[in-house]
Amino acid sequence: MVHFKKNMVALVFALVFGSAIFAQTSQSTERVFSRNITKSDVNPINLRSILTDSYSNNELDSDGDLLIRKNGISAYVFVEESQILLKFITQWSASDSISDTRAIKLVNKWNEEKVFATAYFTTNKRFRLEYYLSYEGGVNAENFNDSLDWFFSLAKTFGQRLEEEDAL
């Protein structure tokens, strides 16, 4: 009960004074959303520092790009400085038996049904899923992790659809 009262006091304080205080219970495995990244400080190292524990399987690749793995899906997060965007991307190798025409029809159907994550079929026979997030005002840790949740959920759905269509 004392723990509950302390968390309530912190919550009320945060609401009254507009502070960015985030309480973490002993049951939580998530990191505290303790900081945001300003626009000028957005880079893969800083993005990595605000990932929650559910994205602990991550690394910076040899090019310095952020690679995150979750539930069998690997995704990159690129910083597109010229456009002030974060680019989330994942891809799958197409089956040798699928025709380019059929693959393009599959991604076109996905793009008709889904608005935010765009699917592509590349010239090197890969299915690609992309999503963009503006960082004009900086990157909020909670929003970044929520966007990753959303992207990985869509990637799982897209991958399942490709499997159902024998496209992989």
Side-chain angles (χ1 to χ4, degrees):
M1 188 64 168
V2 172
H3 185 70
F4 174 75
K5 286 182 181 178
K6 286 182 182 177
N7 283 341
M8 286 303 297
V9 169
L11 179 61
V12 169
F13 182 83
L15 291 173
V16 170
F17 295 102
S19 300
I21 296 175
F22 298 92
Q24 180 179 21
T25 65
S26 59
Q27 294 91 4
S28 175
T29 60
E30 301 292 318
R31 284 189 213 153
V32 176
F33 292 120
S34 61
R35 72 181 194 97
N36 298 319
I37 303 171
T38 63
K39 178 181 170 183
S40 61
D41 290 331
V42 173
N43 63 54
I45 294 170
N46 287 337
L47 290 172
R48 189 176 186 204
S49 76
I50 62 171
L51 290 171
T52 60
D53 291 343
S54 62
Y55 296 107
S56 61
N57 188 0
N58 69 75
E59 64 184 80
L60 297 178
D61 72 1
S62 59
D63 295 328
D65 298 315
L66 180 57
L67 172 61
I68 303 168
R69 293 180 186 88
K70 184 175 182 179
N71 299 328
I73 297 171
S74 296
Y76 278 96
V77 179
F78 298 106
V79 178
E80 301 286 337
E81 291 180 17
S82 63
Q83 299 170 326
I84 313 170
L85 294 170
L86 298 178
K87 178 181 180 180
F88 300 71
I89 184 172
T90 189
Q91 59 185 9
W92 298 260
S93 295
S95 167
D96 290 335
S97 63
I98 191 167
S99 70
D100 289 356
T101 302
R102 184 162 169 260
I104 291 168
K105 285 181 181 178
L106 288 173
V107 297
N108 284 343
K109 183 171 173 52
W110 172 271
N111 292 332
E112 287 174 9
E113 296 171 359
K114 307 295 182 194
V115 179
F116 297 106
T118 305
Y120 300 93
F121 185 68
T122 68
T123 55
N124 59 350
K125 294 194 67 82
R126 293 187 184 270
F127 290 99
R128 178 178 289 167
L129 192 66
E130 295 181 1
Y131 167 69
Y132 293 87
L133 178 68
S134 172
Y135 67 88
E136 179 65 44
V139 177
N140 171 285
E142 187 172 12
N143 186 43
F144 179 62
N145 284 277
D146 286 347
S147 294
L148 282 169
D149 290 344
W150 182 81
F151 181 72
F152 273 95
S153 175
L154 281 173
K156 179 181 176 184
T157 301
F158 185 61
Q160 288 171 338
R161 182 176 292 182
L162 293 174
E163 287 175 1
E164 291 166 3
E165 296 288 337
D166 294 320
L168 302 179

